[in-house]
Amino acid sequence: STLSPFTFVLFGATGDLAKRKLLPAFFNLYHNGKLPPSFAVIGVARRKLDDESFRAALEEAVRAHARYQVHDINWRDFARHFYYCSVDVTQLADFERLYQRVRELEESGIGTGNRMFYLAMAPERFGETAHRLQAAGFTQTKGWKRLIIEKPFGEDYGSAQRLNEEVTQVFREEEIFRIDHYLGKEMVQNIEVIRFANSLFEPLWNNRCIANVQITSSETVGVEERAAYYDKAGALRDMFQNHMLQMVTMIAMEPPSRLMTEAIRDEKVKVLQSLRPYGRAEVRQHIVRGQYGEGEIQGKAVPAYRDEPNVAPGSRTETFIAARLYIDNFRWAGVPFYVRTGKRMAAKATEIVIQFRDMPRHLYFNQDGTLGPNLLVIRVQPQEGMYLQFNVKRPGTEGGVIPVAMEFSHSGSESPEAYERLLHDALRGDSTFFTRWDEVALAWKFVDPIAEAFANDPDLPLATYRAGSWGPEAAEALTAADGFRWWPIG
Ligand code: BG6
């Protein structure tokens, strides 16, 4: 391992994210020899726990969610790196107590004063927590200091900007790691490699050869226990502003001049700057929103969104959004990017379909008299891989063709989990796959007028779709209006 020793202060250590993703990520990294011999993780939350009971919770989380088995390693050697400190984040005195704990650990040999702070907690508390870390002395250190912040980063441009101001009073931009966990997914990272390491694709990657791009991230889960947050956020803020737009930037960006963090992020920013901005009229024309009604998921009846616990009666929050986006630059002029995401859809899947232009003239036909286009499909999840669809002669016919797929897939559990990779990147100080402030700002500036239309435009419909379907009819109409269709995924 090339990592230097560190102390890692994990706020929200008893929460869902810590249990499902973060603590198991530490285990996976440890299992693979990616952590240094000397490090400490201090779990922080309001609840009163001692180190031993935190380690028991750690073991439970690892058993339930890690990629490897607990007995693959010496558990006690691993668990002794974990500590717990109860903190009320509104109390400076609690931060001072926490600081003593960190100092003791550092003096006991974890040494160099490298300090990572991870805020997996209520977003309203991000700013003040950063300030209290400073007031308690944490940010005075001989080693490095870094801050990882979970989403949501603000709820619109104004609040994101205020939050950013608060945080940047304590940490420099290079020390701030804004998580978008989609950027940690193997196949999302692979987009750049597929594009920029294959002479086969790059010459075709433009409006002369590509007819449209389709990016779908569908989920089968509903709102679950998160209505307090989700009913205010909706799919637009929860998924579209961050994960979906990030995937758009990865598909659309220009090749960076060199493989360096800021060079790459500069190119992503240019895509966001080129997005055609939408006001009310364009939202009506290019965006479809929906909310799930009752239906069935895997044969099981599920309630409508409005009947879920803690959802406001008559809520008009969207649980589905489909959009037609345009990137107004030379490469992409005229190419629609269709983006859709929703809860309670027919399958859990994230896929990117690149549809190439039609042949100028058809000489060969499928059995149904059409000729399908070439597709390049990047499968982000649950299967990781990609395939290229093309037409070949249908054996024994004259002029008959069939579409076939050439495909590769990553098997099993080889690839690290998104959080595992991102934690490791942040500990190495590599912020390539985190969002820079200007990306967040531009994404909000694009989304804010859409949110405004959602909230206030009386002429903007909110379609209901059946739980377990692919979303509302109107989403089909979005592609059909341009003579296209959503390709089946999952
Ligand atoms: C999160 C959203 O960012 O991403 C959730 O807040 C969503 O609502 C989740 O369920 C989806 O992530 P994944 O990795 O399961 O596709």
Side-chain angles (χ1 to χ4, degrees):
S1 162
T2 51
L3 290 184
S4 40
F6 60 85
T7 52
F8 190 110
V9 183
L10 173 57
F11 288 86
T14 57
D16 200 51
L17 188 72
K19 185 168 70 190
R20 286 190 305 113
K21 302 286 184 190
L22 304 175
L23 296 174
F26 275 110
F27 180 81
N28 296 338
L29 289 170
Y30 183 87
H31 176 279
N32 291 346
K34 295 266 177 81
L35 296 177
S38 155
F39 73 94
V41 177
I42 302 109
V44 171
R46 198 161 170 164
R47 194 178 309 165
K48 300 257 185 301
L49 288 180
D50 57 17
D51 293 345
E52 278 318 306
S53 34
F54 183 54
R55 289 171 190 173
L58 170 70
E59 185 173 343
E60 208 178 297
V62 167
R63 281 185 189 281
H65 301 289
R67 290 197 289 138
Y68 306 104
Q69 304 291 320
V70 164
H71 56 68
D72 288 351
I73 59 150
N74 182 328
W75 177 260
R76 291 170 66 85
D77 279 352
F78 171 66
R80 72 187 166 80
H81 294 281
F82 289 76
Y83 305 85
Y84 184 84
C85 187
S86 161
V87 167
D88 174 348
V89 293
T90 64
Q91 301 302 314
L92 182 57
D94 283 14
F95 281 78
E96 287 163 348
R97 206 163 31 77
L98 176 63
Y99 186 55
Q100 282 320 308
R101 199 82 211 267
V102 168
R103 292 287 299 143
E104 280 160 31
L105 286 167
E106 287 177 347
E107 277 155 22
S108 78
I110 297 162
T112 51
N114 294 330
R115 295 172 185 164
M116 178 70 88
F117 307 96
Y118 194 125
L119 310 189
M121 54 193 281
E124 312 81 85
R125 301 275 184 222
F126 290 164
E128 55 182 284
T129 299
H131 277 285
R132 291 202 178 97
L133 285 171
Q134 185 176 46
F138 283 97
T139 54
Q140 296 285 339
T141 179
K142 295 197 304 294
W144 50 252
K145 63 177 200 300
R146 294 181 193 141
L147 182 71
I148 306 181
I149 309 192
E150 261 305 321
K151 62 180 275 272
F153 198 87
E155 54 191 35
D156 54 19
Y157 174 64
S159 56
Q161 197 187 27
R162 283 192 295 282
L163 169 58
N164 200 53
E165 268 163 25
E166 285 195 89
V167 180
T168 50
Q169 281 160 16
V170 183
F171 294 89
R172 285 176 292 130
E173 174 65 31
E174 318 83 81
E175 297 172 328
I176 302 173
F177 293 73
R178 297 176 194 82
I179 289 257
D180 184 311
H181 79 282
Y182 268 57
L183 295 180
K185 292 185 191 278
E186 179 64 31
M187 288 307 295
V188 172
Q189 299 196 349
N190 217 338
I191 294 172
E192 295 330 64
V193 183
I194 293 164
R195 288 188 54 198
F196 303 139
N198 292 292
S199 57
L200 185 60
F201 299 126
E202 190 44 33
L204 308 183
W205 214 261
N206 57 53
N207 55 6
R208 287 184 298 282
C209 300
I210 292 177
N212 72 77
V213 175
Q214 307 184 4
I215 307 179
T216 303
S217 192
S218 60
E219 298 189 87
T220 51
V221 293
V223 64
E224 306 194 284
E225 274 87 60
R226 299 163 76 219
Y229 151 73
Y230 193 88
D231 203 34
K232 287 205 204 81
L236 178 66
R237 292 185 178 86
D238 184 52
M239 293 285 293
F240 182 89
Q241 185 268 348
N242 37 76
H243 309 322
M244 305 310 286
L245 286 182
Q246 282 293 328
M247 286 191 284
V248 170
T249 65
M250 303 281 281
I251 291 291
M253 68 185 259
E254 295 300 313
S257 53
R258 46 183 77 80
L259 211 54
M260 287 175 27
T261 303
E262 301 316 332
I264 294 168
R265 301 204 288 186
D266 287 346
E267 295 306 332
K268 292 169 67 189
V269 161
K270 288 182 206 160
V271 174
L272 294 166
Q273 284 166 335
S274 313
L275 269 183
R276 186 180 302 172
Y278 287 168
R280 275 197 188 186
E282 292 81 12
V283 170
R284 281 183 221 149
Q285 198 185 342
H286 298 298
I287 297 193
V288 168
R289 59 174 173 166
Q291 189 189 70
Y292 63 83
E294 50 182 31
E296 264 182 28
I297 299 283
Q298 279 133 24
K300 203 172 141 278
V302 294
Y305 178 72
R306 287 182 190 174
D307 298 328
E308 299 270 21
N310 301 320
V311 167
S315 164
R316 293 186 55 76
T317 299
E318 79 288 353
T319 61
F320 173 97
I321 176 168
R324 181 197 292 119
L325 308 177
Y326 287 104
I327 298 162
D328 288 330
N329 62 19
F330 264 54
R331 188 187 286 268
W332 296 112
V335 179
F337 279 64
Y338 303 109
V339 174
R340 63 179 171 166
T341 181
K343 301 269 185 206
R344 285 282 192 239
M345 291 175 64
K348 166 81 180 172
T350 300
E351 290 190 15
I352 300 169
V353 182
I354 313 291
Q355 177 174 342
F356 292 91
R357 280 196 190 282
D358 208 0
M359 296 302 285
R361 200 174 112 70
H362 292 185
L363 295 172
Y364 300 100
F365 299 93
N366 278 320
Q367 262 177 328
D368 63 4
T370 64
L371 180 67
N374 293 127
L375 304 176
L376 176 68
V377 180
I378 299 174
R379 311 185 76 187
V380 175
Q381 61 187 25
Q383 227 80 61
E384 292 181 334
M386 68 184 232
Y387 65 88
L388 187 60
Q389 181 173 299
F390 55 99
N391 297 309
V392 298
K393 184 167 174 294
R394 186 177 189 80
T397 63
E398 275 171 54
V401 301
I402 43 166
V404 295
M406 206 156 66
E407 93 171 272
F408 109 85
S409 70
H410 277 312
S411 60
S413 64
E414 283 165 33
S415 23
E417 289 252 355
Y419 274 98
E420 190 179 330
R421 187 190 315 255
L422 293 175
L423 278 188
H424 192 253
D425 282 356
L427 288 166
R428 288 191 302 140
D430 182 346
S431 47
T432 310
F433 291 108
F434 294 81
T435 41
R436 202 167 66 185
W437 163 243
D438 48 356
E439 295 177 67
V440 177
L442 285 163
W444 278 125
K445 284 183 181 171
F446 178 72
V447 160
D448 280 355
I450 303 173
E452 190 284 326
F454 280 16
N456 303 319
D457 184 350
D459 296 328
L460 191 73
L462 172 68
T464 304
Y465 60 99
R466 200 175 149 72
S469 72
W470 282 104
E473 282 292 303
E476 307 299 326
L478 202 62
T479 47
D482 304 329
F484 299 127
R485 53 178 286 214
W486 293 100
W487 295 101
I489 64 148

